[in-house]
Amino acid sequence: MDTDYDTTFEEDSQMPNDDEVPYSDDETDDELESPDSHEPEQNRINKQAELSREHVPKECNWQVKANDRNFYDQPEFKIKSYLCFKKSKYSGNAIKTYKYNPLTFLPMNLFEQFKRAANAYFLVLLILQTIPEISTVSWSTTLIPLLLVLGITAIKDLVDDIARHKMDNEINNRPSEVIEDGRFKKTKWKNIHVGDIIRINKNDFVPADVLVLSSSEPNSLCYVETAELDGETNLKFKMSLEVTDKLLQEEGALADFDGMVISEEPNNRLDKFVGTLCWRGMSYALDADKILLRGCTIRNTTYCHGLVLFAGADTKIMRNSGKTRLKRTKIDYLMNYMVYTIFVLLILASAGLAIGQTFWDAKLGQANVSWYLYDGNNYAPSYRGFLAFWGYIIVLNTMVPISLYVSVEVIRLGQSYFINWDLQMYHCEKDTPAKARTTTLNEQLGQIQYIFSDKTGTLTQNIMTFKKCTINEETYGEQRQEAGNKSTFSEQVDFGWNPLADPKFTFGDHYLIEQIQSGKDPDVRQFFKLLALCHTVMVEKTDVGELIYQAASPDEGALVTAARNFGFVFLSRTQSTITISELEKEVTYEVLGILDFNSDRKRMSVIVREPSGNIRLYCKGADTVIYERLHPNNPIKDSTQEALDMFANETLRTLCLCYKDISHEEFEKWNKRYHEASVAMVDRDEALDKVYEEIETNLVLLGATAIEDKLQDGVPHTISKLAKADIKIWVLTGDKKETAENIGFACELLTDETKICYGEDINALLQTRMENQKNRAGGNPETCANNPHPFFQTDEKRSLILTGSWLNEILLEKKKKRKKRLKLKFPRTAEEKQKDLQEKRKTYALKEQRQKNFVDLACECSSVICCRVTPKQKAMVVDLVKKYKKAITLAIGDGANDVNMIKTAHIGVGISGQEGMQAVMSSDYSFAQFRYLQRLILVHGRWSYIRMCKFLGFFFYKNFAFTLVHFWYSFFNGFSAQTVYEDWFIALYNVLYTSLPVLLVGLMDQDVSDKLSLRFPRLYIPGQKDLLFNYKKFFLSLFHGVVTSLIIFFIPYGAFLLTMGQDGEAPSDYQSFAVTTATALIITVNFQIGLDTSYWTFVNAFSVFGSIAIYFGIMFDLHSAGIHVLFPSKFIFTGAAPNALRQPYLWLTIILTVAICLLPVVALRFLSKIMWPSESDKIQKNRKKYKTEEAQWRPRVSTIRRGVSGRRSAYAFSHQRGYADLIATGRSIHKKRAPLDAVFGANAAENIQSAGTI
């Protein structure tokens, strides 16, 4: 009897944890398995046997052998790549983003271009024109425009690909050092392989994901900056294994290193790594703290040695990049559908005229009426109709505009340069201009409905500033000279009295300095002493004696820096002591315990023995947890609460500070329990937290700090402007909920009038809606009807704040814990398979309906903040809005964790500068500051959209007006596919005679100025609603073109019926008629674009009248006798233009035709602006008034509402544990490492050998 493990899924009964980052994309089911899940006893025994045989988890099958490249050539490391060809599963370190090489450029580019329906159509048309039986038009009329289109597009693609080649070469050719032949040698990034030992020097980028082996720092500490990954510039530390720190310092030892790392497969989990180092018969556990990720930068570390684990595409930063999606605009898709519509109209028109040819030839041809058209071939009427069909396909081919695509590309390229050249989007401090990294999405910027923004480094500068504090019922931080007297006194405090002060620190309250120096209030000094002692900051002293602090978070660094400037300077620490300078007096405290911060505790404490022998606990943390632990007799509790409310209303990040004196007996008892908890083998963290709780009671409150998480300049103003343009902004961040909520208030996404809905509220609303839908659908989720009623019945302003854990819970994306049970294995019947399939469909339908309901609910809110979300969740949220709202989305971020979101959105924007370039490299647009987004969208985006809509509408109009004249002419030429115009006019119409004015409108037109566009954001709304270009506008252009073609054909035709020239001859020949209709068409079309132009410049005027002048100049040249003598078969309209245009009657005919075409348009425009003016029309009407007001208009100043109680505890702490564990081990507290030869000298080998035997 065979048995099998059957996997089942069940809901996790636990409520989501707001502070926990949810599982990442590649998390395995085994990792999510509940440790206390019930399973058969035999399963447990089998599992224990497996673990005893194999130390490494079964999902860890990635093997890396140090210094042995031949190891990776083994057959078991090969994977199938194509057909029977195999390649190594280990990626090389070279990055490839380019598409072409010199050999493949021409064939691949032509293949891609001919995948476009229009290009393929014209290629077929060109082939048809070479067949004499069906073509009445020269093949050159198609070849010239086709070559122009293919050539310009190919040059653009070549330039783009050369830029990609340069970027790839720049990255792949970065220098590095790799051990080869027993010593470090210079090499390039692209030559690095998995298993290589590399050296990374200070301020260098990490070339691959590497295991830290040793470094120049004490105990092989390595400081890294992760700006490329997450936009955070505060330093983080990594640390090697103790064994590799001791034994792998010298070059020779590194060259002889033959360890094997067995780890998890490549994945995108930035914060997690599971592996084991096997070396010299011993196994050592590896985690993320020992791994340097590609894209990080080494800081404050002279050098670092590492073993390459993942290279190139296998690195975590590349795994987080997501798939590169081909982005196309909404107008692109619409334009393609319109071209398909024109194809259909072309076929219908050609078929109708071919039927006319068949009947005409059958009825009249037999009567020999058209004897002069006889071609010597006795074809049947139906066959002649078939030939006429293809002939009309050729004649009417200009209905499908071949130059449309190349004209669109030229306009987009020009608009991209305007963005690049915009000095108002240039950031002087970073010397960073705005950059349009793609040329295909500009008009989409004018249709944005949702913006998804990262927080750290995007909305904020990630710079924390100590702004205010409250101590013993007195609040400090306002500009003042003495107690209670606020003033406009703007001079900052002079910290010259403190030789150790940080010169960058500024503070405006002189009274606080007076209090510190006088010592009148001892609590003030106690307050800053606490800040100097209660932290996990590490300090480094430079050669010139300058102090450099390394903090786990910028918040903690800001507090220690503030204490430093106010006279309480943190100088140094050892494993058991901390030394500070108290008003220039150096004091050393014995550290008895560090009770570190975590997301559950929301506080940290330090227990110190003072020089006097007293034991005191200092604690700082969130007000919500501190107030629960205060002594009942705390007289300043209420006043501090009021100050906290004020700080919260000013969107400052707060921490409460308190202390407690501990007797020696109490400490000894507690310390014993602490040691027992610290060595517990099971649930150590929970045991420690419980012991911490015992000592952190009956605290005495000192006051509170207020730190400003400094926003980038202009963020609230920008968000306000975008909101007035009916653009909704969602913030997606990995920060904790309190921080994200605080920033929401700071940038005015949230206000005191906003009702905030949290995860549990949303979950309840969605459950109710799902139940209602299920009841209406009769219990079948696949037929759940959409509820047209909104979730919220009132117009109250609401915002949604949701954590990543709640997001998974709500969207049914949460991975379920596996429960294994022993089950007999029998073949499943067809009914069982069908039942399983139905269950899966039902589950999928339920999940889809739930997700749609969530999107509907979230979109009813004025703003949404998602915190503690992973990169995958950011992309998922964007994708849900795209999927269910069909809305145009924009994502903006600055780190590698934003890349997936940036690539998923319709438009991705990267913040460039000091935060890193990973997001920029994946973005479509980049600039240095968030505030430039309003100009990119409200000015450049809106202008680009309006210009493109005008261009397309006019382009279709001019081609219909030009081509349909042939259609009307067919009823008078026996349906013979004869053209109205000469061949050269047909070839040059779209290339020279009408191209320049419409291109300039597409490039330069603007209905209102940039300042008015920013001042009146409501002007942006028509683009969101697709009002300026849609199928209605397309058919209006078609109708306009049909009417114009009717007038251009029939007015001259009627005039030519009874024409008599001055010389008594009738100029009613075909060539004169062709010249007359062509002239009327050119003047009408160019004047029409003049009517559509809102922004007249000399260039526009020159283009309109210059195009008409070019037409006359070229026409007279082509109709001259001289060119006919040179090419008699190509130029047959000899003298036609001079003969026709010397007749006043024909000039009157042309003027009448143009007037009848344009006067109704002028009348309709006048009526529409008077009777139904648009928002833009109203602003244009008052343009002069607004221009005079512009000099007096200033952006509004953000005001802080004081005195309004709003308990928003935005405590300032790191999102992870601090350096307490590191400090407690003592491994970081040593002198700077001496040079390697001084340490080992001649006895290096002996030292290594002896260390290995310990």
Side-chain angles (χ1 to χ4, degrees), residues 769-785 842:
R769 175 62 61 89
M770 291 292 290
E771 287 295 328
N772 293 339
Q773 290 173 337
K774 186 177 178 181
N775 293 336
R776 282 196 302 273
N780 185 3
E782 293 188 60
T783 59
C784 282
K842 197 173 181 180

Side-chain angles (χ1 to χ4, degrees), residues 84 93 103 113 396 451 490 502 542-543 576 702 763 899 923 1055 1252:
C84 60
N93 205 40
L103 292 177
Q113 290 205 60
L396 302 177
I451 292 176
S490 59
D502 185 345
T542 64
D543 296 335
S576 58
L702 278 174
N763 198 38
V899 167
S923 67

Side-chain angles (χ1 to χ4, degrees), residues 749-763:
L749 277 173
L750 308 175
T751 64
D752 290 307
E753 288 77 26
T754 305
K755 182 176 180 181
I756 299 175
C757 301
Y758 296 100
E760 51 271 26
D761 308 322
I762 300 305
N763 198 38

Side-chain angles (χ1 to χ4, degrees), residues 68-214:
D68 187 1
R69 289 191 177 182
N70 295 328
F71 174 78
Y72 307 101
D73 295 332
Q74 299 179 61
E76 59 263 35
F77 300 138
K78 301 290 183 181
I79 57 175
K80 192 173 182 180
S81 61
Y82 181 72
L83 296 178
C84 60
F85 298 100
K86 291 187 175 182
K87 66 175 184 178
S88 174
K89 75 172 185 177
Y90 297 92
S91 295
N93 205 40
I95 300 297
K96 174 187 171 184
T97 61
Y98 60 84
K99 294 166 63 178
Y100 312 111
N101 61 42
L103 292 177
T104 62
F105 172 71
L106 196 59
M108 282 185 66
N109 188 262
L110 287 175
F111 174 73
E112 288 181 356
Q113 290 205 60
F114 282 120
K115 284 199 295 186
R116 276 184 172 175
N119 290 344
Y121 164 75
F122 280 102
L123 180 64
V124 173
L125 198 69
L126 183 63
I127 296 170
L128 290 176
Q129 283 181 291
T130 60
I131 304 173
E133 287 81 5
I134 61 175
S135 179
T136 59
V137 181
S138 171
W139 53 267
S140 60
T141 59
T142 301
L143 179 64
I144 292 172
L146 182 61
L147 287 177
L148 189 66
V149 169
L150 295 177
I152 292 176
T153 306
I155 291 170
K156 174 186 169 293
D157 290 343
L158 180 62
V159 170
D160 288 345
D161 208 55
I162 287 173
R164 283 191 288 267
H165 269 278
K166 288 180 178 178
M167 184 176 293
D168 288 348
N169 288 334
E170 180 185 344
I171 293 173
N172 292 333
N173 292 317
R174 284 176 178 172
S176 185
E177 294 181 70
V178 175
I179 282 193
E180 291 182 16
D181 302 326
R183 55 190 298 268
F184 280 108
K185 294 182 179 179
K186 295 284 186 182
T187 188
K188 296 176 180 177
W189 276 27
K190 64 182 178 182
N191 298 326
I192 293 174
H193 290 77
V194 171
D196 286 350
I197 305 292
I198 63 173
R199 175 186 287 160
I200 311 163
N201 295 313
K202 186 176 180 179
N203 297 328
D204 283 351
F205 285 108
V206 179
D209 291 354
V210 302
L211 168 66
V212 180
L213 297 177
S214 60

Side-chain angles (χ1 to χ4, degrees), residues 946-966:
I946 291 173
R947 292 163 178 170
M948 187 61 72
C949 292
K950 279 191 176 182
F951 165 80
L952 290 173
F954 182 76
F955 202 94
F956 287 129
Y957 157 75
K958 75 183 182 72
N959 277 279
F960 290 138
F962 164 64
T963 305
L964 292 177
V965 175
H966 296 305

Side-chain angles (χ1 to χ4, degrees), residues 997 1086-1087 1096 1099-1112:
N1086 280 285
F1087 278 13
W1096 275 95
V1099 178
N1100 292 87
F1102 175 80
S1103 68
V1104 171
F1105 295 104
S1107 294
I1108 297 173
I1110 288 172
Y1111 160 72
F1112 281 111

